[in-house]
Every structure is written in structure tokens, then in C-alpha cells.
Amino acid sequence: MKVEENLQKIQENIEMACRRSNRHPDDVTIIAVTKYVTIERAQEAVEAGVVHLGENRDEGLLAKWDALRDKPTWHYIGTLQSRKVKNIIDKVDYIHSLDRISLAEEINKRAEKVTNCFVQVNVSGEESKQGLSPDEVSEFVLSLSKYDKIRICGLMTMAPFTEDEMVLRTCFRKLNELQSKIKNLKLKYAPCAELSMGMSNDYAIAIEEGATMVRIGTALVGEEGVGG
Ligand SMILES: *Cc1c(COP(=O)(O)O)cnc(C)c1O
């Protein structure tokens, strides 16, 4: 499938999810997750009109960044080791995986300008998942005030891998409630207006529950081996 066709289908689904939840499609941003695909396929996504690209490894990000430079807006969406921060920090516009003070420290040290960060939350409590537990988030955000290069733009989560709609919905709803709580702290460095949640299998539900950024790989650009 061409990215263009996938994109059109996804946009239709987003419009329907927005209609069901009384939201406006302009308030939902699609991030094309290109981690499984070639540079050419990422290029095709940009030509099809995708503005935001996401990668989860520094090598992948750098390879695609070299080819596409500042055409797209870049998102780093995966586990980020502190020692890798210096490789990506001047290339990315958003980091979706801030989950510890030592990482905040490193981002603050390496960044030349203010970096938009999402605090990653492990809402479902699965052991395999990265992120803070929900009850740690407020204190964590409060403790970031001394880092002048960090702006907390929102919260991010990965839902459990399940088809159970109620489980997914509950997970997204909890992140939404937590986001309101952080937003209401009215911290200058933490406007926390965004919710990064929803992937290929669950983005429609995530949008119904308030997602403002959906991270879509497989359904948009395909999986490994898809070259265009
Ligand atoms: C891979 C990945 C995605 C996209 O997953 P798909 O199911 O292919 O849409 C989204 N978010 C994160 C953090 C990922 O690692």
C-alpha cells in the first residue's frame, strides 16, 4: 500500500473518532513511526503530507535525519539511554520518553534550546513497560523546575497489547486524568497540554479518550521490509 492511501484511511478514522467524541480533527497530530522502514519509505511519508516522524533508536533517527533534515518535525519515542542523548538532542523537537531525573539532567546539560518532553507513564503497571507509575508523576514534574532546557509539553503512555476495548479505554482515560492534574498545577515549564497515546491498533480509542498525538507505524508506513 502507498503511504498516501494508508494516510487517507487513517485520517478518515480520526475524523470519525473525533465526531464520536465531539473533538476537532485539527487537534490530533499524526506521528508516522518509521522505525521499521527504510529511508525511502520515510521520504514517501513526508511527500504524502506527513509532517511528524518518530524513531525509537538513535541510529535510525540519525540515518533518516541525514536524508530528510528539517523537512519533518522529529520525535524521539523510545527508551532513551542517557549516553545517547548527545547524539540526538540537536535533531529532535520532542522526546516522548522522559522517565527519570538522570535523563532530565543529561537532556538539560546537552540541549542548546528548550526541548519539549513528554513524561512517560506506565499506566497499566506491566513490568515490561517503561515509565513512571501514575502516583509518581506529580512529584517528578515538580522536581524538574531547576532544568531550564526542559519543557513538559504532555504525558505519554503505551497501552497494554490487548484487543480488550475496556482495558485500553481505562488506560487512556487514566492518563487523561493525570494530565489534567499536572496541567492544573499551572507550572510555567510544564503546560502539559498534550497527550501522546494511541498506536496502529488503538489510536481511534485513544482519540476518543483525548489523545492529541497518535504514534502510528504499521498501519501507516508498514512493517519491516516495506521499501515503498
Ligand atoms: C513502535 C512504536 C509505535 C508504533 O507502533 P505501531 O503499532 O507499529 O503503530 C508507537 N509508539 C512507540 C513508543 C513505539 O515504540
Side-chain angles (χ1 to χ4, degrees):
M1 283 288 257
K2 285 189 179 162
V3 175
E4 201 178 349
E5 293 166 42
N6 293 336
L7 181 61
Q8 200 167 2
K9 182 79 205 144
I10 290 167
Q11 279 167 339
E12 282 166 23
N13 289 338
I14 290 176
E15 275 167 35
M16 287 190 284
C18 283
R19 218 170 297 139
R20 288 195 294 274
S21 52
N22 223 351
R23 299 187 58 203
H24 200 283
D26 287 353
D27 297 332
V28 180
T29 298
I30 298 171
I31 301 169
V33 177
T34 52
K35 65 185 183 192
Y36 306 117
V37 301
T38 59
I39 292 169
E40 291 71 30
R41 190 70 168 169
Q43 181 110 42
E44 189 193 334
V46 172
E47 277 158 17
V50 170
V51 179
H52 298 261
L53 293 193
E55 280 282 332
N56 72 337
R57 298 185 63 108
D58 63 334
E59 298 95 335
L61 185 105
L62 294 177
K64 276 152 187 137
W65 189 87
D66 262 344
L68 295 165
R69 300 279 161 154
D70 56 2
K71 259 183 254 165
T73 298
W74 292 98
H75 298 254
Y76 190 91
I77 60 168
T79 308
L80 182 53
Q81 291 170 285
S82 296
R83 66 189 171 88
K84 302 270 173 94
V85 168
K86 60 178 182 300
N87 302 344
I88 59 129
I89 191 69
D90 59 342
K91 315 267 189 301
V92 297
D93 304 289
Y94 293 85
I95 294 174
H96 290 242
S97 45
L98 179 57
D99 62 355
R100 57 194 190 278
I101 288 291
S102 57
L103 181 57
E105 193 95 42
E106 184 65 14
I107 292 169
N108 200 64
K109 187 168 125 191
R110 303 284 180 180
E112 290 195 347
K113 51 181 177 17
V114 176
T115 304
N116 280 302
C117 297
F118 287 85
V119 174
Q120 184 165 354
V121 187
N122 183 358
V123 177
S124 60
E126 290 169 288
E127 258 181 54
S128 61
K129 289 215 153 68
Q130 302 283 321
L132 294 166
S133 78
D135 56 8
E136 293 171 325
V137 174
S138 297
E139 204 187 319
F140 179 72
V141 172
L142 286 167
S143 72
L144 297 172
S145 64
K146 59 176 176 289
Y147 302 116
D148 60 345
K149 299 285 168 42
I150 290 183
R151 179 175 181 270
I152 300 301
C153 62
L155 302 182
M156 178 274 203
T157 199
M158 287 177 81
F161 189 72
T162 175
E163 308 229 310
D164 187 331
E165 193 184 313
M166 266 326 287
V167 171
L168 296 168
R169 209 172 275 289
T170 305
C171 172
F172 295 138
R173 197 167 293 173
K174 278 189 189 157
L175 195 71
N176 190 333
E177 284 162 10
L178 201 51
Q179 180 220 8
S180 302
K181 200 169 130 188
I182 304 297
K183 203 158 83 178
N184 288 339
L185 296 174
K186 299 199 187 307
L187 303 168
K188 228 177 154 184
Y189 63 92
C192 205
E194 308 284 345
L195 271 175
S196 168
M197 57 190 197
M199 315 193 338
S200 289
N201 293 322
D202 56 19
Y203 66 89
I205 299 170
I207 288 166
E208 288 173 19
E209 297 301 333
T212 64
M213 288 191 174
V214 288
R215 311 176 308 266
I216 306 181
T218 315
L220 180 53
V221 293
E223 288 176 275
E224 197 159 16
V226 180

